[in-house]
Amino acid sequence: MKRRELLRLLGGASIFPLSAMGNPLDFKPKNKGPLVLSTWHNQGQIANPFAWEILNNNGMAIDAVEAAARSMESDWENCCVGLGANPDRDGFVTLDASIMNHLGQCGAVAFLEDIKHPISVARAVMEKTPHVLLAGEGARQFALSQGFPIEEKKRSAHADKAYANWLRRSEYSPEINIEQNKHKVMPVPDMLESGEHNHDTIGIIALDAQGNLSGACTTSGMAYKMRGRVGDSPIIGAGLYVDNEIGAATSTGNGEEVIRCSGSFLVVEYMRLGFHPTEACKYACQRLLSITPNKTDNIQIGFIAINKNGEYGAYSLKPGFDYTVSRSDLPHEIRKPSSLLQK
């Protein structure tokens, strides 16, 4: 089967010359040693140094991505990661996370409350249970059994203020079975008061000195979401995927859209066909765009990817997405990938 026919079957993406790519494909190191990528510069600039300290000392990629994720979960001022982040519409902060190593082992938690480091609970699920995903009270009880402490149930000052403002604007008060009592569900804002997107998950992927890949993803999900909503972050194949023979990918953005196309898995499969990580991310965006039933006005998606050769790349649906890359010759450099749409 020809390459063009494969692309048509995998999502209708069109072939284009490399010179037509808005983002040049010049990141071809043939594995120049350790490498780590994180979504969003404001998070990656904090998280990547934690990962790099491990990678630069011949540490394992799985330890590096966990350390990077934990650094953001500890940031009480973060809007979208950790217990200090914005709550759901009933005022509760719920956390999702996933992690995957070079052996294909993976673990995840969803709808987890009162635990500071969901990424480490996800790793415990991976290493200490026969399961992949634990959710809700079951995930909480498992965390307790593994010695994770329960944190005080309180919102950060910035989250409390933003939530109060949202309640005033939305005229919403928590109510049992509200979906049956109202004609429509209260909308979730696309942008936060800070001007940040309402879906700023941090995804981290890394290649270590031994040539092994791992990835991690952690988030509090969309602010003011319906209680119980879970996005792509804890879903292996959607928010995160690692195949140590091929590459690793992670996503950020509207989780429902990423789930619909198994986004991170799709990126890795395009790399399996021989496409550069940048091309693979672009084709995944094209596939997502071709199948979404929603208007693109309120959708933003970004993918980042690394292949086994140490090549890396990214692409987004719209402008505004960026990521941080760290390598021996790139000390926590911010990159802005190209996008399919102009706005």
Side-chain angles (χ1 to χ4, degrees):
M1 184 178 290
K2 294 182 179 180
R3 205 182 201 201
R4 185 182 297 274
E5 293 171 346
L6 280 171
L7 277 174
R8 178 179 56 80
L9 291 174
L10 287 171
S14 61
I15 292 291
F16 48 87
L18 299 188
S19 60
M21 294 284 290
N23 199 32
L25 306 184
D26 57 355
F27 316 133
K28 299 186 176 182
K30 287 295 180 182
N31 196 343
K32 283 189 175 180
L35 171 69
V36 60
L37 271 64
S38 295
T39 56
W40 303 108
H41 77 274
N42 55 335
Q43 300 187 124
Q45 291 292 297
I46 297 172
N48 277 29
F50 286 88
W52 185 250
E53 182 177 359
I54 293 171
L55 294 173
N56 199 38
N57 286 285
N58 293 317
M60 296 177 64
I62 189 67
D63 296 328
V65 297
E66 181 187 14
R70 284 175 63 95
S71 73
M72 297 313 303
E73 292 170 346
S74 298
D75 183 4
W76 191 246
E77 298 303 315
N78 195 298
C79 71
C80 309
V81 176
L83 290 175
N86 290 311
D88 63 20
R89 69 180 190 177
D90 290 348
F92 300 100
V93 178
T94 62
L95 305 178
D96 307 323
S98 64
I99 194 165
M100 192 167 186
N101 69 14
H102 65 288
L103 299 174
Q105 298 170 325
C106 49
V109 290
F111 196 57
L112 179 64
E113 297 183 81
D114 308 328
I115 302 294
K116 184 176 182 179
H117 290 300
I119 195 64
S120 295
V121 183
R123 184 169 182 177
V125 172
M126 176 180 76
E127 295 179 342
K128 299 181 180 181
T129 82
H131 307 305
V132 169
L133 173 63
L134 295 180
E137 184 58 25
R140 186 175 182 273
Q141 289 301 318
F142 172 73
L144 287 174
S145 75
Q146 298 301 306
F148 291 90
I150 293 294
E151 304 292 330
E152 182 181 356
K153 193 181 287 290
K154 68 175 183 178
R155 292 188 293 266
S156 64
H158 71 88
D160 205 41
K161 179 180 178 180
Y163 180 58
N165 290 339
W166 179 79
L167 286 175
R168 284 194 295 271
R169 292 195 307 272
S170 65
E171 298 181 351
Y172 169 74
S173 59
E175 181 179 337
I176 294 175
N177 297 326
I178 189 172
E179 288 72 41
Q180 297 181 26
N181 299 332
K182 302 287 185 181
H183 293 298
K184 63 179 181 179
V185 177
M186 291 304 302
V188 175
D190 303 309
M191 302 294 291
L192 302 175
E193 287 185 333
S194 62
E196 296 173 284
H197 291 284
N198 188 9
H199 44 64
D200 290 353
T201 300
I202 184 168
I204 309 117
I205 48 178
L207 177 70
D208 62 30
Q210 292 71 45
N212 291 320
L213 294 155
S214 292
C217 194
T218 185
T219 187
S220 60
M222 286 186 172
Y224 325 127
K225 61 195 175 186
M226 291 177 63
R227 181 134 177 92
R229 179 265 185 187
V230 174
D232 63 310
S233 298
I235 299 178
I236 300 297
L240 175 70
Y241 195 70
V242 177
D243 183 327
N244 204 49
E245 293 183 354
I246 305 299
T250 188
S251 67
T252 186
N254 298 77
E256 286 75 7
E257 305 302 326
V258 178
I259 292 170
R260 207 185 312 280
C261 72
S262 299
S264 293
F265 174 78
L266 186 60
V267 171
V268 172
E269 290 307 292
Y270 278 129
M271 289 193 289
R272 189 186 304 278
L273 294 176
F275 293 105
H276 186 279
T278 300
E279 293 178 294
C281 291
K282 177 171 184 175
Y283 287 141
C285 287
Q286 288 180 327
R287 173 62 176 162
L288 183 150
L289 186 62
S290 72
I291 66 172
T292 179
N294 300 313
K295 294 181 179 179
T296 60
D297 295 354
N298 301 323
I299 297 174
Q300 169 66 313
I301 302 294
F303 292 107
I304 59 174
I306 300 172
N307 68 16
K308 189 69 170 178
N309 291 329
E311 299 170 318
Y312 65 92
Y315 223 87
S316 63
L317 191 62
K318 296 177 181 177
F321 172 60
D322 58 23
Y323 66 102
T324 302
V325 55
S326 302
R327 201 174 60 198
S328 58
D329 59 336
L330 296 170
H332 318 313
E333 183 171 308
I334 298 169
R335 290 196 178 271
K336 296 183 177 181
S338 296
S339 59
L340 285 182
L341 308 177
Q342 295 305 307
K343 62 179 180 178

